Amino acid sequence: MNALRNVWRSLVARRPVFSDPATGWIVLLTIFAGSVLRIQRVGYPFFFGFDEEQMVTAARQFLEGVPDTGECCHPPLSKVMISASILMLGDNPMAWRFPSLLLGLQSIVLVYLIGKSLFNDSRAGWLAAAFLAADGFAIAFSRDAFPEGMMTCFVLWSMLAAITARGWAGVVTCAILVGLAGSIKWSGIQVGLPACVAILLLRRVPWYSIFAFALVPLVHLVVWMMGLSLIGHDSDPMSVVEEIRLRQSRHLGFVRFANPLESVWYTWFYIYKPIVLKAASEAGRVRLASSVSNVLLFFTSNLCLAGLPILGAAYAFSDRVRQRFAAWFDEGQGKALLILGVSWLSMMLLWFTGRISSYWYHYLTPYGFAVLLTAGVVSRLDRRHGKVVLGFVALLLLVFVYFAPVWGELPISVQGAHRRLIFKRWQ
Amino acid sequence: MTSSVDTPPPPDRLNVLVFSLLSFCLIGFGLWLVSAGKSYREAYVNKTQGWRVGSSHSVEITLVKEDKPNLACASDRTLAGLNCEYATDGTPRASASADRSQILQPYNTIDNTLLFGAGLWTSADLQGELPAARFSVTCNYNIRGLAKTASIRFSSTAAFSPLQQAVTVGTLTDCVIVR
C-alpha cells in the first residue's frame, strides 16, 4: 500500500501545474483524447491507405528475401520496422500500421521531454504534448504505414539526445539517432545541423564532442548493409554504396508535378494540399483520415515562426526590446527559441531548394518544431495571462473535437465531412 | 556515529533519455497487448481469406487457349512433388516430361495475382474444345509452398525473366470454365 501511495504522490507531484488549474486538466484531457483517437480502429480499413501498398509490399519482400521492388528508393529502416511488426503481429493491417502508431505516440512523449528540458519549465512540455496530441496532421500519420511519422519521431529523439547530452555518451547517442533518422528517409539527416547547434549553444559538453557526428554515415551504411543483406543483395560496403547511389539517382529523377498531390513548400503555410490518407465508406457514412492540421494551432505556430526573426532583428538593434525580452525569457529560454528556430529551418532546407518533389507531408517534421516553439511561447504567456492560455487550450480542444471524425476515421456523413474539409483541395 | 554528510545525494530523477526509452517500451508493450486482444487478425483473414501454406481457396484465372504451351517457369527446385518445366539455366528438366499434372505454370488471377499452379489443363472441363477468345476458369487452389527465386515467361519464344516477388505454389483442381 505504501508503494502505491508513493507512486500516486509521485504522479500527483508531476501533474501539469498552470496559473489556472483548469488549464492543467484540459491539457491532460487533450493528451488522453489524442492518444485514444490515434489507437482506436487503427487496423481498419483492411485495404491499403496512402502509399501503404509500396511500404507493405517492400516490407514483405524483406521478409521473403527477394528484391524490394515494392518501394523504389528510400533507405530500409522503416520497411524493416514494418517487417518486424508483421513478424510480431502477423501480416495484417494492424501490423502494417503498428510502427507508425508506436512512434506517433512516442512523439507525444518526446515533445513533452524536449519542451520541458529546453525551456526548463514543465508547462512547456505539457503544452507541447497536448498540442501534438490534438493535431490532425500528426494523428493521421500515426495511423498510416508511411515513413514520415516514423522519421519525425527519430528526429525528435535526436534533438532530445542533443539537448540532454552531458558527456560524450550523450553526443554519440545523438549521432546514432541522427544516423537512424536518415536511414528512414534521407531528409532525416538534416537534423544533424540543429543537433550540433544545440550542443554548441547549450555548452554542456566540450565543443569538440561534435566530432562524434562522424558516426552518422557509418550508422547509415550499417543499416543499409543489414537491409540489403536481408534481400539477398551484395552487402559489402562498396556494393552498398553503389546501390545507395543508384536509388538516390532514381529518387532524384522523379518528374516534378507529375503527381497532382505535389505541393511547393510555401503552400504548406496555408494548408493548400493536405492529403486524405485513408477513406472508406460504411453504411452510408464515411471514415476519413485527413492530414489537415488543427487550424488554430497551425496558424498560431505560423505566427510564432514569423515572429522569431522579427523579434531577433529587434533584439539586435533595440535596447528596449532587449529589456522587454529579458522580462519574458531568461537566457536559457532565449537559447531554446533559437534552437527551435534553427531546427525548423534546417528541416526545411531541402524543400527550399525546390530540387526534388515535395508534398504536404514533408512539413510534418518541421511542424513538430513549430509546435514546440508555440508551446514554449504559450508557457511563458501562462505566467502573466493564465486566463488567455486557458481560453486557448480550451479552444484548441474544441477544434480537436470538431475535426476528430475526419482525422481519426470516426464514422461521419458525407455532408459532415465536407463541412469540416471545407475546401475542394482538402477533400 | 552519524552518517557521512559527504555522501552525494541520489539523483532526483531519471535521465530523460532513459525515461523516453522506457516510455517507448511501455507504449509498445501496451499497444501489443491491445492489438493481441483485438480481433483484427481473425477478421482480416476472414475478409481476405488469407493465403497460407496448407490452405485451399477458390481462384478465378484468366487464360487464352495458347497459354497451355506458352506459360512456363524455370527453377531447379522441387516443391511438394511439383516442379517447373525448365531448370534455372533454361534447359528442359529431365524429370519434367513424366507427369504433366505435376508441372508448374505461372497464372494470373482476374484480380492480377500471380501464382504457380499445376494440374489446370488436366481437369475434365479443359479437355475439350477451348474458347477462341480470352476466358476464365475457376479452380480450387491448394497452396503447398512459396517460390522466391524462379523465372517465368508467358510466351514460348520469350526469354525467362526473374520473379520480382515471392509467389505461392500449389495444385489447381476441379477447374471449370466460367461460361
Side-chain angles (χ1 to χ4, degrees):
Chain A
M1 280 305 283
N2 268 346
L4 276 178
R5 198 171 298 140
N6 287 340
V7 169
W8 175 248
R9 277 181 189 157
S10 160
L11 284 176
V12 169
R14 283 168 172 76
R15 76 192 188 282
V17 178
F18 286 85
S19 300
D20 193 312
T23 308
W25 289 112
I26 293 175
V27 160
L28 275 182
L29 180 65
T30 307
I31 294 171
F32 177 73
S35 304
V36 170
L37 192 64
R38 279 164 172 80
I39 297 168
Q40 56 81 36
R41 280 181 67 99
V42 69
Y44 297 91
F46 287 148
F47 50 83
F48 292 123
F50 177 72
D51 272 4
E52 286 188 329
E53 185 167 10
Q54 295 183 34
M55 297 299 292
V56 174
T57 305
R60 286 172 179 155
Q61 288 165 334
F62 273 100
L63 288 176
E64 291 158 358
V66 294
D68 61 329
T69 51
E71 201 277 331
C72 76
C73 322
H74 290 112
L77 189 57
S78 57
K79 293 169 270 187
V80 171
M81 283 196 285
I82 296 173
S83 304
S85 179
I86 287 173
L87 275 182
M88 202 168 77
L89 299 168
D91 192 349
N92 60 69
M94 174 71 206
W96 309 338
R97 295 161 192 155
F98 190 83
S100 296
L101 179 62
L102 177 62
L103 296 171
L105 287 168
Q106 175 69 10
S107 293
I108 299 176
V109 178
L110 289 172
V111 291
Y112 164 78
L113 291 171
I114 293 173
K116 187 182 168 193
S117 304
L118 260 184
F119 290 94
N120 197 24
D121 183 350
S122 65
R123 280 178 295 194
W126 282 114
L127 285 168
F131 290 173
L132 196 72
D135 193 273
F137 199 176
I139 290 168
F141 279 97
S142 298
R143 297 171 58 82
D144 189 82
F146 191 74
E148 209 66 32
M150 302 184 210
M151 188 192 78
T152 300
C153 183
F154 274 86
V155 163
L156 292 171
W157 268 84
S158 307
M159 282 310 289
L160 178 66
I163 291 160
T164 59
R166 296 290 187 275
W168 276 90
V171 183
V172 167
T173 306
C174 176
I176 292 171
L177 288 165
V178 172
L180 293 176
S183 301
I184 292 177
K185 291 184 86 173
W186 281 306
S187 54
I189 287 183
Q190 293 175 115
V191 73
L193 181 62
C196 286
V197 169
I199 286 167
L200 293 174
L201 211 58
L202 296 173
R203 294 185 195 166
R204 289 163 180 162
V205 286
W207 66 269
Y208 47 83
S209 63
I210 61 167
F211 286 113
F213 281 84
L215 282 172
V216 172
L218 191 68
V219 172
H220 187 57
L221 185 71
V222 169
V223 172
W224 269 104
M225 286 166 75
M226 283 162 46
L228 291 181
S229 70
L230 281 175
I231 53 170
H233 191 280
D234 290 336
S235 54
D236 61 281
M238 290 319 293
S239 306
V240 170
V241 169
E242 200 179 317
E243 183 67 16
I244 292 173
R245 280 187 178 159
L246 179 75
R247 293 184 187 219
Q248 208 170 30
S249 65
R250 212 182 284 159
H251 194 26
L252 293 174
F254 285 157
V255 180
R256 294 213 59 193
F257 301 108
N259 188 328
L261 293 176
E262 195 169 341
S263 56
V264 187
W265 65 268
Y266 51 79
T267 65
W268 300 341
F269 300 120
Y270 51 91
I271 322 181
Y272 183 56
K273 274 189 196 173
I275 298 167
V276 175
L277 302 186
K278 290 192 265 175
S281 57
E282 195 178 276
R285 295 165 86 81
V286 289
R287 289 180 180 271
L288 299 175
S290 165
S291 58
V292 164
S293 197
N294 184 315
V295 284
L296 176 64
L297 178 64
F298 189 86
F299 291 109
T300 308
S301 74
N302 274 355
L303 276 180
C304 291
L305 283 170
L308 205 57
I310 296 169
L311 185 66
Y315 184 91
F317 295 110
S318 163
D319 275 340
R320 217 166 59 127
V321 171
R322 272 196 288 274
Q323 281 165 8
R324 295 198 71 172
F325 183 83
W328 280 87
F329 301 99
D330 64 25
E331 191 192 344
Q333 288 152 354
K335 285 179 181 176
L337 295 180
L338 189 59
I339 289 168
L340 291 172
V342 170
S343 302
W344 180 87
L345 199 64
S346 304
M347 299 313 296
M348 289 291 286
L349 283 179
L350 184 64
W351 317 116
F352 287 154
T353 66
R355 283 194 58 208
I356 61 171
S357 306
S358 53
Y359 296 87
W360 162 247
Y361 56 74
H362 288 137
Y363 191 55
L364 182 63
T365 312
Y367 182 56
F369 292 111
V371 166
L372 273 160
L373 181 69
T374 312
V377 172
V378 175
S379 71
R380 295 286 88 195
L381 201 66
D382 184 64
R383 291 190 310 171
R384 298 181 185 185
H385 306 285
K387 292 289 179 204
V388 174
V389 171
L390 172 63
F392 181 76
V393 293
L395 204 56
L396 192 86
L397 181 61
L398 285 178
V399 176
F400 167 82
V401 170
Y402 184 68
F403 277 91
V406 292
W407 290 336
E409 299 167 74
L410 303 177
I412 187 171
S413 67
V414 175
Q415 293 83 352
H418 282 172
R419 269 199 301 276
R420 284 157 179 86
L421 305 175
I422 46 173
F423 303 111
K424 197 79 186 155
R425 290 188 190 281
W426 287 18
Q427 292 164 8
Chain B
M1 287 291 284
T2 56
S3 63
S4 167
V5 291
D6 294 325
T7 310
D12 61 349
R13 64 193 179 107
L14 275 171
N15 176 295
V16 284
L17 270 179
V18 175
F19 177 76
S20 54
L21 185 64
L22 193 68
S23 72
F24 176 80
C25 297
L26 279 174
I27 293 169
F29 182 65
L31 286 178
W32 180 73
L33 278 184
V34 169
S35 65
K38 283 270 186 180
S39 53
Y40 289 115
R41 268 163 284 185
E42 236 171 74
Y44 182 62
V45 166
N46 288 339
K47 181 92 176 174
T48 57
Q49 300 182 341
W51 284 26
R52 299 182 192 288
V53 175
S55 61
S56 295
H57 304 275
S58 175
V59 291
E60 186 168 350
I61 292 168
T62 170
L63 293 169
V64 289
K65 65 178 179 182
E66 293 79 17
D67 281 341
K68 187 175 180 179
N70 280 350
L71 306 185
C73 64
S75 169
D76 292 335
R77 286 190 64 199
T78 299
L79 213 152
L82 310 173
N83 53 257
C84 290
E85 189 171 0
Y86 295 89
T88 305
D89 60 7
T91 56
R93 284 177 60 147
S95 58
S97 56
D99 183 0
R100 295 297 297 175
S101 68
Q102 303 296 302
I103 300 295
L104 292 168
Q105 286 179 293
Y107 299 106
N108 273 311
T109 63
I110 53 166
D111 55 358
N112 208 26
T113 302
L114 180 68
L115 56 86
F116 279 2
L120 182 141
W121 304 103
T122 58
S123 294
D125 203 29
L126 284 106
Q127 299 303 311
E129 186 66 26
L130 296 173
R134 180 163 284 281
F135 63 101
S136 64
V137 295
T138 55
C139 306
N140 288 325
Y141 184 46
N142 315 295
I143 302 173
R144 301 284 177 80
L146 212 60
K148 293 180 184 176
T149 53
S151 299
I152 54 172
R153 72 181 185 196
F154 293 102
S155 159
S156 57
T157 54
F160 282 105
S161 50
L163 282 178
Q164 296 294 310
Q165 64 191 74
V167 172
T168 50
V169 172
T171 55
L172 291 161
T173 55
D174 309 312
C175 295
V176 179
I177 297 173
V178 179
R179 293 182 168 89

